[in-house]
Amino acid sequence: MPQTRECDYCGADIEPGTGTMFVQTDGTTIHYCSSKCEKNADLGREPRDTEWTAEARSQAARRASQAEQAPAADESSEDQVVDESADETEAVDETAGAEDSEDSDEAEEAEEESEGTEEAEEAESEETEE
């Protein structure tokens, strides 16, 4: 019984006695049903990127089924999105307050350090005068 093969690029059935078999140096064989498939593979094109291949058609079908399921999920999540946006504004307000307090803390520390250095300079100047 003759064996039909499948094109390694587009996925079409190859009749016995037709197509091209490419044997790589490592011994693996690649079967092409037409020169169109062979040339696209040589150009480095992925089968999922060309619309006429079986892989691209299956991915398009998957995307279509996901798009049908997505609107149902979007309707139920609209209420959650409104609640999340309110939480985000509160979080922003809290962090803004924390940043303000951090800035004031840093300013106070800088003032204390400058006062400490002034006192040290005064002490040094008194010692040198004596």
Side-chain angles (χ1 to χ4, degrees), residues 83-104:
D83 294 338
E84 291 174 1
S85 64
D87 293 339
E88 290 175 5
T89 56
E90 292 174 4
V92 170
D93 293 340
E94 291 174 2
T95 57
E99 291 173 358
D100 292 340
S101 64
E102 289 176 7
D103 292 339
S104 62

